[in-house]
Amino acid sequence: MIPGAFLGTLLAVLIAGPGVVVWIWIVSFFISPVHFVLSTAAHRSRKRTSSGSISGSVPDAVRQLTRSRWLSILSALFFIPAALLAGAALPVLFLSGGVSGAFAFRPGGDPLLPGPTAISILVAMGLVWITAGGIRRIGLYSKFTFYGGVLLLLISFLLGPLPEMGIIWEDIWRSFQDSGGSSLPATILGLTIYMALTETGSGKAAAISAAIRTDHPAKAGLSMQLTLLLESAVSIMTLLFLASISGAGHLYDWYTTSGAARQGFAQIFEPSLFDLFRAFFFRAPQSANVSGMVFLAASFLLIIPGITAWWYSLYHNALSLGGRKVSVAFSLIFFFTIVLTGLALDFLGPQVFSWTLAGTVLALMVASLSGAIAALIMMRASRNELNFFLESREAKAALAGDFFLILISVLPQNLISKVFGWFSLIPFPGPLRRPLIRAFASAYKINLEEAEKGLEEYPSLNAFFIRRLKEGVRPIDADPRSIVSPVDARASRFGKISEGLLIQTKGIYYTLKDLLGGSEETEHYMDGQYMVLYLSPQDYHRMHSPVECKIQGFNYAPGKLFPVNDIAVEGLHGLFPKNERLTSFLLTPRGRIAMIKVGATNVGKIRVTYDSIRTNRFFRKKRDIQYNPALEMAKGAEIGRFEMGSTVILLFERNTIEFAPHMYEGIKVKLGEPIAYFLRK
């Protein structure tokens, strides 16, 4: 996505002036439904291969929805050359030009720098390592490299010469006013090249959408529709870098002297284009080019996932064309194309950049035209999927916008919680220990009479958070049918699980499937009941077993650490499934119970007594553990603890319990008090 949008904007501005960026935003908005239609259709037609993986593509969708084999073959044949050029060749040229611009333009250069061939081999090796881990490694790598790449881009921009924003907007507006009339053909050409290089309608996004975990194809289509709008935002970044590179001056003046004369296709893709591109990475002519080198590092981080996405899409399009053998053959061709591009640039020089870029644009134009025709054919089927999704109750949870979520997602909640966890472990000096802990207890109205030890015996804030209570302070209800509260908490919500949905707050739902992270245990709790117990900093932080049971195993789902207070519950859609969770599966003769421990901001760790698992680590992965034999757990026995306040969610198997008559939403409950009763005696 990044190299295509970057080069597309550069060429569009070179052809039609900086005002073309406004047209890019407008046209991207109106063309984005093409991504939706193709991605929805590909997700709807996906299938499971003999190896167990999920496969979906535009050719598969065309074959299923139109029953036309030849249209499907044409769609795949148009996509393959575009994938080889845009996904394998172009990124190698981009990175080779970046290395040349960041280092070789400096006085004396650096003979130890890797050349295009070495860069292509490194890229191929990195691709092999990422793809060997499957779709999970691809997703995890892409997530972290995106965050790192965006951060490095910002640092590079701040370290380099900063453009004057007022001049940029003036140049954009001046050029936009000139984009009609005699300049209209140049504007159309610039837009066409930009849309081609951003893979609009090519089918790449559709193949990726097939791997999205959702039961609603329209939901996957809507998420992929946003990628085109995100790419249009890259055009702003390109303009800023273009305005700040050495010698750029006013964007409009630069366009009239460097680009306005390039009205023919051959004139646009001449060898001097490579030098213009390299200049993006040469941002400090008078000193060490730190800004350019940081920009280069960001490019490496952002481009490798893009290459992986192209390979993934090529593999599944080829699979649709001729099965596994054909897909493996084209995968090998993809890897060879990467290496051959580096060799060609080494031996043939800068003209390879122009030739390949021109070929890429033409191939992507053909693929995009094919995709647009396919989108028109499959538009009705995708619209029906959208209507079906909008009529489902899950749409309320999925389409609410999550604007507040976007705002607080900017903050690294997991890192903040980890830092707070470290801070809470710092021992207080002896003389300060008692007054500091007493001040904290006073602020949150904690009953110190119930604590097992005196204040001076808690060396740190964390030790006080996880304090034990005095013997007998929380008697456990002895009725064998009773299900007791496992914590001191407020019962913020409870009720029936209807159609696989749980109510978070009025008008906001989340799915049982998402909450349990796709566990095989999900089916047991469909149409069952649930209760949400919120622990504040005031409450006792240890958790106990609500019944006498056997622990069958647990499921750990890494996630965010958003707050779980009332503001977050009412403002963050699907809050609990987004947060880190550790679920214990309890089995009793009267029914099953899932005890879900939800992480939150400032929860340093979630710990359990029956396993050594550690949560909120820098490197985390999903775990699903089963015990054989199951572990015995007495009613009221300690099962775990939060290292700060959070939430426990109890799930009950269908037709097994009834809530205690005294329960109501918002009631404060204590550990050991009955909150429900088994129906079976």
Side-chain angles (χ1 to χ4, degrees):
M1 179 182 78
I2 295 297
F6 202 94
L7 289 170
T9 304
L10 172 63
L11 291 175
V13 172
L14 190 67
I15 296 165
V20 76
V21 172
V22 179
W23 288 113
I24 286 174
W25 300 335
I26 295 171
V27 173
S28 293
F29 177 79
F30 286 103
I31 291 184
S32 62
V34 173
H35 269 343
F36 166 76
V37 172
L38 295 179
S39 298
T40 300
H43 193 282
R44 171 178 169 171
S45 62
R46 65 181 183 168
K47 58 184 181 296
R48 191 170 294 278
T49 65
S50 57
S51 63
S53 62
I54 297 293
S55 176
S57 63
V58 172
D60 280 332
V62 169
R63 184 186 302 113
Q64 286 193 24
L65 297 177
T66 67
R67 305 295 180 187
S68 174
R69 173 68 179 169
W70 70 269
L71 278 177
S72 172
I73 293 173
L74 282 177
S75 178
L77 290 175
F78 289 146
F79 178 83
I80 287 171
L84 293 174
L85 287 170
L90 193 60
V92 172
L93 298 174
F94 192 103
L95 294 174
S96 298
V99 171
S100 176
F103 293 96
F105 275 4
R106 295 168 61 194
D110 191 340
L112 298 178
L113 287 174
T117 302
I119 291 173
S120 65
I121 293 173
L122 289 173
V123 168
M125 291 172 62
L127 182 60
V128 169
W129 178 79
I130 296 170
T131 55
I135 190 65
R136 186 178 296 277
R137 182 181 292 178
I138 293 172
L140 190 64
Y141 179 84
S142 300
K143 173 184 174 181
F144 285 108
T145 53
F146 176 77
Y147 291 147
V150 170
L151 178 62
L152 288 178
L153 282 177
L154 178 61
I155 294 172
S156 172
F157 180 72
L158 295 176
L159 290 176
L162 296 176
E164 295 186 30
M165 298 302 298
I167 294 178
I168 292 177
W169 295 121
E170 180 183 328
D171 286 348
I172 290 174
W173 179 244
R174 184 181 173 189
S175 174
F176 179 68
Q177 289 177 311
D178 295 341
S179 60
S182 60
S183 298
L184 185 60
T187 302
I188 294 174
L189 178 60
L191 280 172
T192 303
I193 290 176
Y194 172 84
M195 291 301 167
L197 284 172
T198 50
E199 311 126 25
T200 305
S202 68
K204 177 186 130 184
I208 296 171
S209 73
I212 296 177
R213 291 185 178 182
T214 176
D215 295 328
H216 292 278
K219 187 176 178 181
L222 289 169
S223 65
M224 297 310 294
Q225 183 177 351
L226 296 176
T227 60
L228 189 60
L229 303 178
L230 181 62
E231 285 168 340
S232 66
V234 177
S235 62
I236 288 288
M237 177 191 70
T238 308
L239 271 188
L240 294 175
F241 275 93
L242 186 58
S244 65
I245 61 175
S246 181
H250 287 256
L251 279 173
Y252 190 78
D253 294 340
W254 173 83
Y255 155 67
T256 56
T257 57
S258 301
R262 304 188 187 214
Q263 298 299 319
F265 198 81
Q267 292 174 306
I268 297 166
F269 297 99
E270 61 180 25
S272 64
L273 189 62
F274 189 56
D275 291 331
L276 175 62
F277 170 70
R278 293 197 302 173
F280 272 88
F281 297 85
F282 184 58
R283 297 170 47 76
Q286 305 301 326
S287 60
N289 187 25
V290 177
S291 175
M293 287 185 271
V294 173
F295 184 31
L296 178 63
S299 300
F300 268 97
L301 285 179
L302 293 170
I303 285 175
I304 299 300
I307 299 174
T308 308
W310 272 113
W311 166 81
Y312 183 86
S313 303
L314 173 67
Y315 182 89
H316 290 285
N317 274 266
L319 190 68
S320 171
L321 183 65
R324 182 173 175 80
K325 290 183 179 179
V326 174
S327 62
V328 171
F330 275 108
S331 293
L332 293 174
I333 294 172
F334 188 88
F335 283 94
F336 281 123
T337 302
I338 292 175
V339 178
L340 289 174
T341 302
L343 287 168
L345 188 58
D346 253 337
F347 288 100
L348 299 178
Q351 59 265 34
V352 173
F353 181 86
S354 304
W355 297 341
T356 306
L357 187 56
T360 302
V361 169
L362 291 173
L364 284 170
M365 283 181 177
V366 173
S368 296
L369 180 61
S370 169
I373 295 172
L376 287 173
I377 295 173
M378 299 184 293
M379 185 166 57
R380 169 176 279 185
S382 296
R383 185 188 298 132
N384 291 339
E385 287 290 345
L386 178 61
N387 291 334
F388 176 72
F389 175 54
L390 292 176
E391 290 171 3
S392 71
R393 292 177 65 183
E394 185 178 343
K396 295 181 180 180
L399 296 178
D402 284 355
F403 181 69
F404 182 44
L405 176 61
I406 293 173
L407 291 180
I408 70 170
S409 292
V410 175
L411 298 174
Q413 301 289 345
N414 296 64
L415 180 59
I416 291 172
S417 299
K418 186 170 286 292
V419 170
F420 185 86
W422 290 336
F423 170 76
S424 68
L425 292 170
I426 298 174
F428 293 136
L432 297 178
R433 189 175 300 169
R434 187 181 183 89
L436 285 175
I437 293 180
R438 184 173 290 279
F440 177 85
S442 177
Y444 286 102
K445 299 179 181 178
I446 297 173
N447 186 355
L448 298 177
E449 297 297 322
E450 296 179 341
E452 182 184 45
K453 301 176 181 178
L455 295 185
E456 64 281 353
E457 296 183 65
Y458 297 107
S460 64
L461 204 55
N462 181 71
F464 181 67
F465 288 154
I466 60 174
R467 65 193 177 277
R468 296 181 185 275
L469 300 179
K470 292 177 179 176
E471 191 72 27
V473 168
R474 296 287 187 272
I476 306 299
D477 186 83
D479 187 340
R481 288 181 54 240
S482 70
I483 301 168
V484 301
S485 175
V487 288
D488 286 2
R490 176 168 57 87
S492 58
R493 187 160 300 273
F494 58 90
K496 184 176 177 59
I497 302 170
S498 179
E499 299 179 27
L501 295 174
L502 294 80
I503 299 174
Q504 181 173 304
T505 189
K506 186 177 180 181
I508 300 179
Y509 302 84
Y510 56 97
T511 70
L512 176 66
K513 183 178 179 181
D514 289 342
L515 183 65
L516 290 178
S519 169
E520 296 179 357
E521 298 285 331
T522 302
E523 181 59 31
H524 295 301
Y525 303 98
M526 293 293 291
D527 300 318
Q529 292 171 287
Y530 73 99
M531 178 176 289
V532 180
L533 299 166
Y534 169 67
L535 288 78
S536 71
Q538 175 190 52
D539 293 315
Y540 170 58
H541 287 58
R542 293 179 183 263
M543 298 167 281
H544 297 251
S545 176
V547 291
E548 183 177 350
C549 62
K550 293 182 178 180
I551 300 178
Q552 291 182 294
F554 71 88
N555 172 280
Y556 170 63
K560 302 291 186 180
L561 288 175
F562 294 123
V564 291
N565 53 27
D566 289 341
I567 295 176
V569 168
E570 294 174 7
L572 297 179
H573 297 266
L575 168 64
F576 298 126
K578 288 182 171 74
N579 272 12
E580 183 177 59
R581 303 174 309 286
L582 197 157
T583 304
S584 303
F585 295 106
L586 315 181
L587 179 64
T588 78
R590 297 179 173 88
R592 300 171 185 267
I593 299 175
M595 185 174 176
I596 304 167
K597 296 158 279 294
V598 183
T601 304
N602 292 340
V603 176
K605 292 281 187 300
I606 303 172
R607 298 188 186 274
V608 290
T609 57
Y610 56 83
D611 198 278
S612 60
I613 183 171
R614 296 170 60 193
T615 67
N616 192 18
R617 306 179 71 175
F618 281 117
F619 299 99
R620 299 165 293 162
K621 63 179 181 179
K622 184 177 178 181
R623 294 182 62 186
D624 203 337
I625 302 298
Q626 298 293 320
Y627 295 123
N628 188 17
L631 308 178
E632 301 280 350
M633 183 69 67
K635 187 176 185 179
E638 185 179 328
I639 199 171
R641 67 175 186 262
F642 289 116
E643 296 184 358
M644 192 55 175
S646 191
T647 294
V648 171
I649 301 176
L650 297 176
L651 303 179
F652 305 102
E653 193 174 7
R654 68 178 75 90
N655 302 323
T656 58
I657 68 108
E658 61 181 2
F659 293 112
H662 67 275
M663 294 296 294
Y664 60 88
E665 290 186 353
I667 187 175
K668 188 77 174 178
V669 294
K670 297 286 187 181
L671 166 65
E673 294 178 356
I675 55 174
Y677 292 91
F678 283 114
L679 297 176
R680 191 182 305 170
K681 295 183 178 180

